[in-house]
Amino acid sequence: MEKILELKNLKKHYPVMGGVLRRQVNAVRALDGIDLDIFRGECLGRVGESGCGKTTTGKAIVKLHNATAGEILYYQNGDDVVDITRLSRSRMKKTGLRGKLQMVFQDPTTSMNPRRLVKNIIAEPIREKERLSSRAMDDRVRSLLNLVGLSDFHLLRYPHEFSGGQRQRIAIARAIATKPDLIVLDEPTSALDVSVQAQILGLLQELQEKLGMTYLFVTHHLLVVKYISHRLAVMYLGKVVEIARTGDLFENPVHPYTLALLSAIPEPNISQKTRRIVLEGDVPSPLDPPAGCRFHPRCPFTAEQCRIEEPVMEEVENGHLAACHRKHEINAFI
């Protein structure tokens, strides 16, 4: 598969200021060394608890937040590679990279200007990239609206006049307006009803097939990501702990945190008994993450090695990687 994006040791630390002189006294380690490949045309899902760094990764990719360290390598055409972390926002706009990397936010209400008409909301990113006549611009906006399941009737309305699902469709239309290569989807269905979630997921799949786009799908809902993603990356406290093809990860998880997440999914068949893994304690603070494996204070399979040595990401089988000292022993405990 052709690689479109590569994250190398990506870090994002938010400074904590203190004292009379307001100097930095600590840092929130939202991302603390992420290595990840995203391939062209795929949907890569990212799951984990709130605060684990899922959304921060997406914001670093589209340059809404500047990375503290590491590299974000964007493969444009073949050997043409650009490190996004080294580009300023103005440089990204000038080179056209801003339009190639887009984001759909969790709450479309807060990501749209309530005083602008829908046609102007969708046209705004196009104006930044192309010079079109008024008629050509109107035709482009109409085609985008039709593409996401809306009609010309919605052009002259304001965001508050739409339902949540319709607003998310408008947000998707705005995101695809610049013909991007990669879209970061930041929990795009979490604020919607279940029936509307299914419609939006179906729309995203249809657009991906039709336009050949690549998705980074951020969510906390495992069944949603199982439906739409080709591969799945599990995050915990600023680190990727397991990554595999979605089917492989659901059938054969090897990291204890992934096991705990999967065991929490309700089983509709009451006759089928599954072992529930209940994690004790709270997630450690990203201000002071524990030594060794970051999951060891809550892991039911902790060994002495886990407390003193940080595990590295290693391949378990073809395309299935995990960062756990006991990854080859987990099945014996289930």
Side-chain angles (χ1 to χ4, degrees):
M1 296 178 68
E2 182 185 355
K3 192 183 299 183
I4 188 173
L5 205 71
E6 182 178 1
L7 312 184
K8 289 186 175 182
N9 196 31
L10 183 64
K11 297 182 180 181
K12 177 58 183 177
H13 297 172
Y14 296 96
V16 176
M17 316 305 286
V20 177
L21 299 179
R22 303 298 296 169
R23 293 176 176 173
Q24 182 175 343
V25 296
N26 207 336
V28 176
R29 296 166 176 81
L31 292 177
D32 210 14
I34 299 293
D35 294 305
L36 195 65
D37 294 337
I38 303 176
F39 298 100
R40 193 175 295 275
E42 77 166 345
C43 176
L44 175 64
R46 289 177 74 82
V47 297
E49 293 172 290
S50 297
C52 70
K54 305 186 303 294
T55 298
T56 303
T57 305
K59 289 182 177 180
I61 289 173
V62 300
K63 203 70 176 182
L64 289 180
H65 290 177
N66 292 321
T68 303
E71 297 176 308
I72 303 174
L73 302 179
Y74 171 57
Y75 294 79
Q76 296 186 87
N77 297 303
D79 297 330
D80 189 6
V81 183
V82 178
D83 185 358
I84 295 173
T85 61
R86 298 181 181 275
L87 296 179
S88 64
R89 294 180 183 178
S90 60
R91 183 65 180 166
M92 282 191 68
K93 182 178 178 181
K94 187 177 294 186
T95 57
L97 280 180
R98 170 60 66 204
K100 293 295 183 181
L101 304 169
Q102 291 292 322
M103 190 166 185
V104 174
F105 297 91
Q106 179 176 351
D107 186 359
T109 305
T110 58
S111 65
M112 297 181 189
N113 189 334
R115 298 183 178 182
R116 305 198 72 178
L117 295 171
V118 165
K119 73 170 188 176
N120 294 325
I121 290 172
I122 299 176
E124 184 176 7
I126 304 175
R127 290 194 182 100
E128 293 293 325
K129 187 179 179 182
E130 304 178 48
R131 293 186 177 274
L132 299 176
S133 65
S134 296
R135 176 170 293 181
M137 180 64 76
D138 287 345
D139 290 342
R140 176 77 70 82
V141 172
R142 285 192 180 93
S143 67
L144 287 168
L145 277 178
N146 293 333
L147 202 57
V148 298
L150 298 176
S151 66
D152 300 358
F153 181 69
H154 301 104
L155 279 170
L156 301 179
R157 289 188 176 187
Y158 292 94
H160 72 271
E161 299 180 76
F162 294 89
S163 65
Q166 289 175 321
R167 281 195 290 267
Q168 199 60 288
R169 289 175 184 269
I170 296 168
I172 293 170
R174 180 178 60 182
I176 65 175
T178 57
K179 301 176 183 178
D181 288 335
L182 173 72
I183 297 182
V184 177
L185 301 165
D186 182 19
E187 304 205 32
T189 62
S190 64
L192 306 176
D193 294 335
V194 175
S195 59
V196 181
Q197 285 185 19
Q199 295 173 16
I200 296 299
L201 290 174
L203 172 64
L204 290 171
Q205 285 187 320
E206 180 183 336
L207 291 175
Q208 186 177 30
E209 294 173 3
K210 187 176 295 185
L211 305 178
M213 291 183 299
T214 305
Y215 293 151
L216 177 62
F217 196 99
V218 175
T219 184
H220 63 274
H221 200 310
L222 282 166
L223 293 181
V224 167
V225 82
K226 182 180 181 181
Y227 174 78
I228 195 172
S229 67
H230 302 96
R231 290 190 304 140
L232 185 57
V234 181
M235 289 194 67
Y236 184 80
L237 203 60
K239 294 275 191 180
V240 175
V241 297
E242 188 169 3
I243 182 168
R245 287 184 289 271
T246 303
D248 294 342
L249 191 136
F250 272 81
E251 293 174 9
N252 184 35
V254 296
H255 196 283
Y257 180 60
T258 308
L259 278 172
L261 290 179
L262 295 178
S263 73
I265 299 176
E267 175 56 58
N269 185 0
I270 59 175
S271 63
Q272 182 175 344
K273 295 183 179 180
T274 57
R275 180 185 175 186
R276 179 75 180 271
I277 300 176
V278 180
L279 300 179
E280 298 181 356
D282 297 323
V283 180
S285 171
L287 287 167
D288 185 25
C293 175
R294 298 192 172 191
F295 185 58
H296 87 257
R298 306 175 70 197
C299 180
F301 314 119
T302 299
E304 185 61 28
Q305 183 185 15
C306 305
R307 297 185 175 92
I308 59 177
E309 182 183 339
E310 183 175 352
V312 297
M313 188 71 74
E314 295 178 332
E315 191 170 46
V316 180
E317 53 186 6
N318 186 27
H320 191 161
L321 297 91
C324 178
H325 294 302
R326 311 195 71 182
K327 54 183 173 292
H328 297 294
E329 309 170 42
I330 290 301
N331 289 328
F333 297 104
I334 302 176

